[in-house]
Amino acid sequence: MTQTQKRIFLSPPHMGGSELDFIHTAFESNYVAPLGPMVDAFERNFSTFTGIPHCAALSSGTAALHLALRTLGTGPGDIVLASTLTFIGSVSPITFTGAQPVFIDSDTETWNMNPDLLAEAVAGYAAAGRIPRAVIVTDLYGQCADYDRLLEICAPHGIPLIIDAAESAGARYRNRHAGTGGYCSVFSFNGNKIITTSGGGMLCTDNPAVAEKTRWLAQQARDPAPYYEHSEIGYNYRMSNICAAIGCGQLEVLARRVAQKRAICEHYRRVLEPREGIAFMPEAPYGQSSRWLTVITLDPARCRCTPEGLRRALEDCNIESRPVWKPMHMQPVFKDCRVFGGSVSERLFHTGLCLPSGTAMTGQDLTRVTDAILRALDGQPCE
Ligand SMILES: *Cc1c(COP(=O)(O)O)cnc(C)c1O
C-alpha cells in the first residue's frame, strides 16, 4: 500500500495560538532560562485553573513524582503502593528512591485502582507493621480515580495519597478539578498530553511547606548561604521560562481541548458502539473524564479482528493507534514485585486499543479513522 494520505497521530501537540506571543515576551525580558516571570505566571494560572493553592512547575511529570516521594522522605526499606495499569513514569520514581513498588489492580467500572484491593493491601501491610510510605494512584486516560474512597482507606493509617494526574488535566472529580484532595498531585505537559509545554510537569498541593520543599529540591537543594552549600541531595528539575511561556498559552485552551476530546470520543461511540463486540472505557458517575485518549476494547469472542490486527490495519492506512498500557506487574523490570489482583488490567491490556484522539483532527480525519476501523472489523483492506 502506498501511504499517500497524511499520517494521523495518536495525540499530537495542538497549539492554541498565543504560545508564540508568550515566548516573544520571555525573549524580550531575556528570561530565557532558568525560571523567570513566565514560570511564576504559569504556576499562578494553573493554580487558578485547578483550584489547588500551591503549584510548582518542573521539568517533567516523572520529576514531579520523584520529588513528591522525596518530600515524604521515601527511601530504601519503604513500600509504595501504586496502580499497575499505568505508564512507567508513574512508578519508576519509586525505584529512584530505593523504595519497593507494590502494584494494585484496576476495577472494571473505572479501569482505575480498585479500592477494595487497596484496602486489602493496606490491611495486610498494617497487620505486619509495615505501613506503606505512600499510595500513587493514576487517573487513567483522563478519568479521575475515586479519590474519596481511596482517601478513606489511607487516612486511618496516615498514608499520603499522591495523585498521578498526568493524564487528567481538565477532568473533574465530583465538583472539583482532577488532582484535588490528596497529599499532592502531579501533572505532565509532555508532547502527547492534553496540553504541552514541549516537556514539563507540575506538582500541586494544598500544603505550602510541601511546595516550598519541592522547589528547593528541584533547584539542587541549596542551603541559605552566599556560597553554594548543601546538606541534602537535590536535582535540576525546574521548568525553564520558555517552556512555561508555552504553558501559559496552552492553559488558555485547556477547557476547549477537554470539550474537543469529549466530542471525539462521542463521534467514535456513535459510529462504533452499535458494532458487535466493541466497548468503550466506561465513564465513572462521580466525574467527567477529559477523554485524553478514547479507548475501546474488542471482545475476542464477538469480533473478527484482534486489537493487534486492528492496530496493524490502521497502521496500513497511516493511522497511529496504541495498545492499552502494559500493566507494571507484567513488566520484566518488575517481575519480582508483588501485585494485588492483576487479571482485570491484564484483560484490558490484551483487549484494549487507544484510538487517535488529537484535538486538531478534522471531521474528515475522524471519518477516515472510523471508516478504516469499520473496514478492518469486516476483514477488508485499507482503501
Ligand atoms: C505521561 C505520564 C507520566 C510522566 O510524565 P512525563 O512528563 O512524561 O515525565 C506519568 N504518569 C502517567 C500516568 C503519564 O501518562
Side-chain angles (χ1 to χ4, degrees):
M1 219 249 4
T2 48
Q3 294 187 347
T4 46
Q5 287 187 293
K6 77 164 196 248
R7 183 155 178 82
I8 295 180
F9 289 98
L10 192 71
S11 184
H14 184 188
M15 292 298 108
S18 59
E19 291 84 358
L20 267 180
D21 295 334
F22 284 109
I23 291 177
H24 277 129
T25 307
F27 265 72
E28 280 154 18
S29 72
N30 201 37
Y31 280 105
V32 173
L35 299 174
M38 285 297 166
V39 174
D40 300 338
F42 186 41
E43 289 180 343
R44 222 170 28 241
N45 297 344
F46 201 77
S47 172
T48 304
F49 189 90
T50 58
I52 311 175
H54 304 281
C55 298
L58 302 164
S59 54
S60 72
T62 308
L65 283 159
H66 188 191
L67 293 183
L69 292 170
R70 276 293 312 266
T71 62
L72 288 166
T74 313
D78 285 335
I79 281 170
V80 176
L81 306 176
S83 304
T84 190
L85 190 56
T86 190
F87 172 64
I88 184 79
S90 185
V91 297
S92 52
I94 300 168
T95 69
F96 301 170
T97 67
Q100 215 182 345
V102 171
F103 300 116
I104 311 285
D105 201 6
S106 302
D107 64 30
T108 51
E109 298 89 54
T110 69
W111 298 15
N112 281 318
M113 184 183 281
N114 182 329
D116 296 332
L117 288 176
L118 176 68
E120 184 190 324
V122 166
Y125 281 110
R130 280 189 90 182
I131 304 287
R133 179 64 68 173
V135 172
I136 301 178
V137 63
T138 295
D139 292 342
L140 197 68
Y141 296 126
Q143 169 146 282
C144 297
D146 195 350
Y147 305 151
D148 288 349
R149 281 199 65 199
L150 300 173
L151 285 164
E152 263 171 32
I153 296 160
C154 293
H157 302 276
I159 306 170
L161 182 69
I162 299 170
I163 301 168
D164 182 349
E167 301 177 3
S168 62
R172 308 289 299 175
Y173 177 74
R174 303 199 184 277
N175 58 356
R176 353 199 267 261
H177 189 271
T180 317
Y183 168 76
C184 71
S185 56
V186 157
F187 294 85
S188 166
F189 312 114
N190 194 7
N192 61 351
K193 297 300 191 317
I194 189 163
I195 59 168
T196 182
T197 58
S198 78
M202 191 80 86
L203 186 148
C204 303
T205 175
D206 294 338
N207 184 337
V210 172
E212 195 187 339
K213 177 109 199 236
T214 297
R215 291 196 182 94
W216 180 74
L217 284 169
Q219 285 157 248
Q220 305 288 17
R222 256 186 90 179
D223 293 340
Y227 39 84
Y228 280 79
E229 179 157 289
H230 309 276
S231 47
E232 265 188 67
I233 293 295
Y235 311 88
N236 180 4
Y237 274 176
R238 272 296 235 167
M239 181 180 281
S240 91
N241 204 48
I242 298 298
C243 293
I246 302 174
C248 286
Q250 287 274 275
L251 202 48
E252 291 181 346
V253 294
L254 176 51
R256 200 183 320 154
R257 294 288 177 267
V258 173
Q260 290 166 319
K261 292 272 191 190
R262 291 183 61 84
I264 289 167
C265 184
E266 279 315 302
H267 169 87
Y268 283 128
R269 285 180 71 165
R270 232 177 7 255
V271 180
L272 300 176
E273 222 162 27
R275 298 290 294 226
E276 182 78 2
I278 295 193
F280 282 73
M281 178 177 180
E283 184 166 32
Y286 54 67
Q288 190 187 59
S289 172
S290 71
R291 295 286 189 185
W292 168 54
L293 297 180
T294 291
V295 192
I296 57 170
T297 53
L298 301 181
D299 179 348
R302 292 156 66 215
C303 267
R304 287 174 59 180
C305 194
T306 63
E308 179 54 13
L310 178 54
R311 189 190 70 75
R312 283 155 77 161
L314 291 174
E315 192 57 50
D316 284 343
C317 306
N318 209 15
I319 296 168
E320 184 183 27
S321 62
R322 192 194 284 152
V324 163
W325 300 127
K326 183 173 187 177
M328 291 301 120
H329 72 273
M330 296 173 75
Q331 299 289 348
V333 74
F334 293 130
K335 64 181 187 316
D336 298 326
C337 292
R338 195 166 170 199
V339 57
F340 287 80
S343 60
V344 172
S345 55
E346 285 167 29
R347 182 176 52 76
L348 293 173
F349 169 59
H350 286 122
T351 60
L353 194 70
C354 303
L355 301 181
S357 306
T359 45
M361 274 194 296
T362 62
Q364 248 175 349
D365 293 336
L366 268 174
T367 307
R368 208 181 116 199
V369 178
T370 40
D371 283 355
I373 294 172
L374 292 174
R375 276 196 306 276
L377 292 171
D378 292 335
Q380 294 164 16
C382 185
E383 266 179 351

